Amino acid sequence: SQTIHQWPATLVQPVGSPLSLECTVEGTSNPNLYWYRQAAGRGLQLLFYSVGIGQISSEVPQNLSASRPQDRQFILSSKKLLLSDSGFYLCAWSVGGVTEAFFGQGTRLTVV
Amino acid sequence: AQSVAQPEDQVNVAEGNPLTVKCTYSVSGNPYLFWYVQYPNRGLQFLLKYITGDNLVKGSYGFEAEFNKSQTSFHLKKPSALVSDSALYFCAVRDRGRYGGATNKLIFGTGTLLAVQP
């Protein structure tokens, strides 16, 4: 069966420090991969999605970047964190264009 | 662009009573619609989806949703609420590309907090 791993679960980072969040999927090939952010409140904002290795689409201009070095690995990065980068980051995967997406457990990032 | 709206920030219901969480959509062409649930500090869990076929879709944990094309709605329902159903519920739609085919992007509503009182 397919599983998705996202780590770390919580992270506290100072302003100006770098960030690297990792997400890996097991049990499927060539998945679509997504990074969402859920800010205080509840709305989910799509940050990046990828349909294949090295193929990244950015949805909103921001202080973050994403990379997909391997088929089932998706990394969210920042060179210098801002206070506004705080939030709950969710990785997700899907296969095909009409199927549901499956989410990781999320990373709670607090920038101090 | 495709979108979904969840008009209620919060829904309160007594345990044992039926519950409804509302969702309306705006799409071009036929919609692909989804419901998810989120418990505190956790990822989203898939509940059910409508792609085509029967308007009443059954999903996990006793939930169901009714697709209504004339009202452009996809309300989530459960005949008898449990305290453990208390969580944040999201409606979502699959985005469509320039030529009408489903894309890989899932667009979420703002969420509805369901509170079930014992």
Side-chain angles (χ1 to χ4, degrees):
Chain A
S1 62
Q2 301 89 352
T3 56
I4 180 169
H5 302 281
Q6 189 180 342
W7 67 92
T10 60
L11 189 61
V12 180
Q13 291 284 98
V15 170
S17 64
L19 172 73
S20 180
L21 301 181
E22 189 164 342
C23 172
T24 59
V25 180
E26 296 178 357
T28 187
S29 296
N30 196 30
N32 304 313
L33 296 172
Y34 312 83
W35 278 111
Y36 284 87
R37 178 168 59 199
Q38 188 175 25
R42 58 186 73 163
L44 281 164
Q45 181 184 37
L46 178 60
L47 302 176
F48 302 95
Y49 73 99
S50 171
V51 299
I53 295 174
Q55 301 179 60
I56 310 294
S57 295
S58 175
E59 290 298 295
V60 293
Q62 57 204 319
N63 186 42
L64 301 168
S65 62
S67 62
R68 185 170 177 174
Q70 299 180 43
D71 182 43
R72 290 170 288 180
Q73 183 184 30
F74 205 24
I75 298 172
L76 183 69
S77 304
S78 174
K79 292 182 180 179
K80 289 185 178 182
L81 283 169
L82 306 172
L83 287 174
S84 57
D85 292 324
S86 294
F88 192 49
Y89 289 83
L90 291 159
C91 181
W93 70 272
S94 72
V95 177
V98 297
T99 61
E100 59 275 25
F102 297 94
F103 284 78
Q105 292 302 298
T107 296
R108 174 73 60 190
L109 172 66
T110 304
V111 182
V112 296
Chain B
Q2 328 307 316
S3 65
V4 290
Q6 295 181 244
E8 303 157 314
D9 283 344
Q10 183 163 337
V11 170
N12 298 306
V13 63
E15 187 174 30
N17 284 359
L19 70 88
T20 299
V21 183
K22 296 179 180 178
C23 172
T24 58
Y25 64 88
S26 175
V27 301
S28 56
N30 295 321
Y32 302 142
L33 297 160
F34 306 82
W35 274 103
Y36 286 81
V37 60
Q38 185 183 30
Y39 296 98
N41 294 311
R42 304 297 295 274
L44 276 67
Q45 296 179 34
F46 168 74
L47 282 178
L48 51 80
K49 65 182 176 184
Y50 173 82
I51 303 299
T52 187
D54 291 340
N55 290 339
L56 186 63
V57 179
K58 294 188 182 296
S60 305
Y61 312 119
F63 284 94
E64 57 189 27
E66 185 171 10
F67 172 68
N68 188 317
K69 189 173 183 178
S70 63
Q71 297 185 7
T72 62
S73 67
F74 189 54
H75 300 333
L76 182 69
K77 301 180 180 182
K78 188 173 182 181
S80 179
L82 300 172
V83 173
S84 58
D85 292 330
S86 299
L88 189 57
Y89 289 81
F90 288 96
C91 183
V93 64
R94 179 69 66 179
D95 202 10
R96 286 189 169 273
R98 182 177 180 182
Y99 301 104
T103 72
N104 299 308
K105 295 190 288 185
L106 204 57
I107 309 300
F108 285 87
T110 52
T112 298
L113 186 64
L114 173 66
V116 182
Q117 286 88 32

